[in-house]
Amino acid sequence: MPAGKKHRFNQNWMHRHLNDPYVRKAQQKGYRSRAAFKLAEIDDQDKLIKPGMCIVELGAAPGSWTQVVRERLGFASQALRGKLITLDMLPMEPLDGVLSLVGDFREEETLQVLQKVLPDGGCDLVISDMAPNLSGVASADSARMGDLIELALAFSTVHLKTGGCLLVKCFQGSGFSQWVESYKREFRQVLIRKPKASREESAETYLLGKGLLPRA
């Protein structure tokens, strides 16, 4: 991108960011990013988060989704009713009551640590707002997104309880129908969610699998 265009793009992004109502709401509520409202909207609709659950969040940093889960597990009552475990390759600023693991869930060493802290039978819900670093090349970005979705699905089929749920970010476009089909092989119900907090012009959407099928 030529320097002049890049400069104008940065200016336009900053203007939009500073005038974004969800950015202002996040600042008012103390959320680490506007992404908090995406999960809040989906949970308001689908009632995924319930006190007493064990929830694993993949790719949690900077932690805005973690803050929402923590609130809805009852932390406002000064006692986290349930268990919240986060995984990320980057360290995250700690949150009371949250067990944050630093590591790559594709690596055996990280999985062994996770298995030690998961309750017998696994977790009730896996959530992931992970996205690849975008190159601007649609086919390449779709392939990278697909890799993350497949990893989250593979992780969930091992660590979710039967009947559990998985929520992941994805992109509308190339590969989307295949991702939906892969979900349908593992879950009783597959839903597509586009929360209002997700910018309308963005290809970003969320894929929700409800009711993990029993393992063969």
Side-chain angles (χ1 to χ4, degrees):
M1 181 185 295
K5 286 188 177 180
K6 185 175 182 180
H7 181 66
R8 288 195 298 274
F9 174 81
N10 289 339
Q11 284 184 326
N12 290 338
W13 182 90
M14 183 59 71
H15 177 78
R16 184 176 67 175
H17 181 76
L18 293 175
N19 288 280
D20 187 319
Y22 289 103
V23 172
R24 293 198 295 269
K25 285 172 66 177
Q27 292 169 343
Q28 292 165 3
K29 289 181 170 289
Y31 289 139
R32 294 177 181 179
S33 83
R34 69 189 301 284
F37 298 104
K38 301 173 189 178
L39 177 60
E41 285 183 55
I42 294 170
D43 187 53
D44 287 345
Q45 181 174 1
D46 291 287
K47 305 295 187 289
L48 300 174
I49 304 166
K50 301 179 180 68
M53 280 185 159
C54 175
I55 299 174
V56 173
E57 181 181 1
L58 304 175
S64 59
W65 274 29
T66 314
Q67 290 175 296
V68 172
V69 176
R70 181 171 168 263
E71 288 174 358
R72 297 187 178 207
L73 284 179
F75 192 80
S77 65
Q78 302 304 313
L80 195 66
R81 291 176 289 163
K83 192 166 192 175
L84 174 53
I85 304 165
T86 68
L87 279 172
D88 202 293
M89 295 172 67
L90 300 174
M92 187 175 77
E93 184 179 344
L95 287 164
D96 288 346
V98 178
L99 176 57
S100 294
L101 304 178
V102 179
D104 187 337
F105 69 91
R106 295 169 294 184
E107 296 178 354
E108 186 62 30
E109 183 179 355
T110 303
L111 288 176
Q112 287 177 359
V113 174
L114 174 63
Q115 287 164 355
K116 289 178 181 178
V117 297
L118 278 174
D120 292 341
C123 57
D124 301 283
L125 171 65
V126 175
I127 60 175
S128 170
D129 197 33
M130 291 188 295
N133 293 324
L134 300 181
S135 66
V137 179
S139 58
D141 292 338
S142 177
R144 293 189 184 105
M145 189 80 243
D147 288 342
L148 292 178
I149 292 169
E150 289 173 8
L151 286 167
L153 183 58
F155 175 91
S156 298
T157 57
V158 174
H159 297 287
L160 263 181
K161 295 177 182 177
T162 298
C165 300
L166 169 63
L167 175 69
V168 299
K169 177 187 284 187
C170 59
F171 296 150
Q172 288 276 9
S174 175
F176 182 77
S177 60
Q178 290 92 329
W179 302 335
V180 172
E181 287 306 312
S182 66
Y183 259 56
K184 287 181 176 179
R185 288 192 289 271
E186 303 293 348
F187 293 94
R188 291 191 180 90
Q189 186 179 21
V190 178
L191 303 165
I192 298 165
R193 297 290 183 243
K194 177 75 171 178
K196 292 177 182 177
S198 181
R199 292 188 174 100
E200 188 174 345
E201 70 275 13
S202 171
E204 171 190 83
T205 188
Y206 291 87
L207 200 53
L208 172 60
K210 283 187 164 184
L212 182 70
L213 295 169
R215 296 169 182 83

